[in-house]
């Protein structure tokens, strides 16, 4: 059965132990992994690893032994309690093996938890779970966590009495951070408020949010996209002193210019293109990115992406040129490329 986002939220809040299995798939490996961890933890409870009630397998484990998955599902352990077989990074190449194991499942067998990357509607693996009467298929999208998910994280961390302003700050933060970073921020908040009975405030959220390195890196990329060449050097020096690597900056710049290119190519215009981006752009950066996409245009953004790809290859190669100097040259060339024509 295919679960809608609302049904999926209910499933992850309380996974059903009598199901044959669940397929969790999506383009963001971190989001998929977090949902998988959540489901397995709630299905098995504590001490599952020590009691050998969790069996981990990879897709490669099944290529030489197609019966291994069925054997693992039907195996009986020494300890009582529910069992799970976790199959990681599955794909259509092993779909027949996985679907056959699901077909052999009987009450009392281990539940099968499978993770995969993005799967198309034609995927045999996805169809197998969607058509099975006692299994679920759950797509995990790049959308930031909603209010219900954030409230569940806060409750799990022991944080209560959240006022509206603090929840708004957390919602904004969830849209800016990767899911793993946001979860770590919530955990940091729980430690920060330990023993403090006062309600959580926006100031508390700001105190525990990831520090200025990310903000300064974002500002550097914005400066480059606006063609402000003279501001590149000082910002880059500060980031280098904080330990930010050239590869990290290259990845961030590539992500930013790809977003600008997608917005510039949108038939409805850059403003609609920015609004459609996933994950959503933080509202404080939205207007700035619209102006950048409008000023640069598709042709120059394509040139910029080509330059970034070439730089990324140089940074990851075995050449001995100073990496930060390569990155600085790339950023200055980008700023010159997209600078307004006089």
């Amino acid at each position: 059965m295919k679960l809608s986002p609302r049904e999926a939220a209910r499933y992850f809040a309380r996974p059903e132990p009598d199901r044959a299995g669940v397929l969790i798939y999506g383009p963001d490996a971190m989001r998929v992994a977090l949902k998988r961890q959540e489901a397995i933890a709630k299905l098995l409870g504590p001490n599952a690893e020590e009691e050998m009630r969790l069996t981990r397998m990879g897709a490669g484990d099944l290529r030489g032994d197609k019966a291994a998955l069925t054997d693992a599902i039907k195996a009986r352990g020494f300890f009582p309690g529910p069992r799970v077989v976790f199959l990681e990074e599955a794909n259509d190449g092993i779909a027949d093996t996985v679907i056959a194991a699901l077909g052999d499942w009987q009450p009392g067998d281990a539940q099968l938890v499978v993770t995969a990357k993005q799967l198309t509607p034609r995927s045999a693996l996805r169809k197998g779970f969607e058509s099975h009467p006692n299994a679920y298929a759950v797509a995990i999208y790049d959308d930031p966590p909603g209010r219900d998910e954030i409230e569940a994280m806060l409750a799990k961390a022991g944080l209560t009495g959240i006022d509206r302003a603090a929840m708004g700050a957390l919602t904004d933060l969830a849209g800016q951070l990767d899911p793993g970073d946001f979860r770590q921020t919530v955990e940091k908040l729980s430690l920060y408020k330990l023993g403090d009975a006062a309600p959580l405030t926006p100031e508390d959220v700001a105190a525990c949010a990831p520090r200025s390195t990310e903000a300064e890196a974002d500002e550097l990329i914005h400066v480059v996209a606006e063609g402000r060449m003279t501001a590149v050097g000082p910002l880059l020096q500060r980031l280098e002193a904080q330990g930010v690597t050239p590869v990290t900056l290259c990845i961030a710049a590539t992500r930013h210019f790809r977003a600008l290119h997608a917005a510039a190519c949108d038939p409805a215009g850059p403003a609609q293109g920015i609004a459609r981006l996933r994950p959503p752009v933080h509202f404080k950066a939205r207007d700035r990115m619209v102006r950048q996409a409008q000023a640069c245009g598709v042709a120059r953004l394509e040139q910029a992406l080509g330059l970034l790809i070439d730089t990324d290859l140089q940074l990851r190669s075995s050449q001995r040129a100073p990496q930060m100097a390569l990155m600085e040259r790339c950023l200055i060339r980008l700023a010159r490329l997209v600078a307004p024509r006089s």
Side-chain angles (χ1 to χ4, degrees):
M1 289 178 278
K2 179 181 178 181
L3 296 185
S4 68
R6 179 173 295 181
E7 292 168 334
R10 285 199 296 267
Y11 169 79
F12 287 117
R14 188 171 293 178
E16 300 161 32
D18 56 349
R19 295 291 172 181
V22 58
L23 168 67
I24 307 170
Y25 66 94
D28 190 315
M30 174 62 77
R31 285 181 165 85
V32 170
L34 288 172
K35 289 299 182 184
R36 178 264 301 171
Q37 290 172 356
E38 182 181 349
I40 291 177
K42 289 180 178 176
L43 283 168
L44 298 182
N47 305 320
E49 293 269 14
E50 295 85 345
E51 296 175 359
M52 296 178 288
R53 292 187 288 114
L54 174 63
T55 302
R56 299 175 183 270
M57 304 183 76
D61 298 332
L62 306 184
R63 293 194 179 95
D65 185 1
K66 294 186 176 181
L69 185 59
T70 299
D71 292 344
I73 290 172
K74 294 191 172 294
R76 294 292 183 265
F78 293 106
F79 295 89
R83 294 177 300 109
V84 162
V85 174
F86 165 44
L87 177 62
E88 191 172 16
E89 295 186 353
N91 52 54
D92 281 347
I94 59 169
D96 290 344
T97 302
V98 176
I99 293 167
L102 273 180
D104 290 338
W105 187 89
Q106 297 292 328
D109 290 346
Q111 184 166 153
L112 178 61
V113 176
V114 180
T115 60
K117 296 179 181 178
Q118 182 67 5
L119 299 172
T120 67
R122 295 182 179 181
S123 161
L125 184 64
R126 177 174 162 181
K127 285 182 177 179
F129 276 83
E130 288 180 348
S131 61
H132 195 284
N134 196 36
Y136 289 140
V138 183
I140 305 299
Y141 300 105
D142 286 347
D143 299 333
R147 186 184 180 92
D148 290 345
E149 289 182 84
I150 293 172
E151 287 177 345
M153 288 185 203
L154 293 170
K156 184 178 179 181
L159 291 164
T160 57
I162 316 299
D163 66 25
R164 182 176 297 180
M167 180 57 72
L170 283 166
T171 303
D172 284 346
L173 193 62
Q176 299 172 46
L177 300 179
D178 289 335
D181 291 338
F182 182 71
R183 188 175 295 255
Q184 288 179 354
T185 301
V186 171
E187 292 172 356
K188 186 176 177 181
L189 269 170
S190 70
L191 295 173
Y192 183 78
K193 296 293 287 183
L194 190 65
D196 184 357
L200 188 71
T201 66
E203 290 73 22
D204 295 330
V205 176
C208 294
R211 299 319 305 163
S212 61
T213 297
E214 293 87 348
E216 288 197 16
D218 288 344
E219 180 60 24
L220 172 62
I221 305 306
H222 280 298
V223 160
V224 170
E226 291 162 356
R228 294 158 53 193
M229 286 175 283
T230 56
V232 171
L235 279 171
L236 190 61
Q237 287 174 5
R238 284 208 299 270
L239 287 167
E240 185 178 14
Q242 294 172 31
V244 177
T245 67
V247 171
T248 298
L249 290 174
C250 192
I251 291 170
T254 303
R255 186 187 303 121
H256 185 89
F257 276 87
R258 279 180 177 157
L260 294 181
H261 183 261
C265 291
D266 195 291
Q272 285 298 315
I274 294 294
R276 277 193 266 263
L277 290 174
R278 291 293 180 271
V281 175
H282 189 260
F283 73 92
K284 291 182 180 178
R286 203 170 295 154
D287 292 343
R288 198 172 182 182
M289 290 182 68
V290 170
R291 291 194 296 269
Q292 291 166 10
Q294 290 171 335
C296 293
V298 174
R300 283 194 284 174
L301 288 169
E302 288 176 351
Q303 293 179 54
L305 286 170
L307 177 58
L308 282 164
I309 290 169
D310 289 344
T311 302
D312 184 65
L313 291 173
Q314 291 180 61
L315 291 173
R316 297 172 191 270
S317 71
S318 58
Q319 53 81 35
R320 295 186 177 181
Q323 291 200 331
M324 193 56 83
L326 280 175
M327 194 64 229
E328 183 175 14
R329 183 181 69 176
C330 170
L331 294 174
I332 291 173
R333 289 176 64 188
L334 282 173
R336 184 179 294 117
L337 173 66
V338 302
R341 300 292 190 256
S342 56

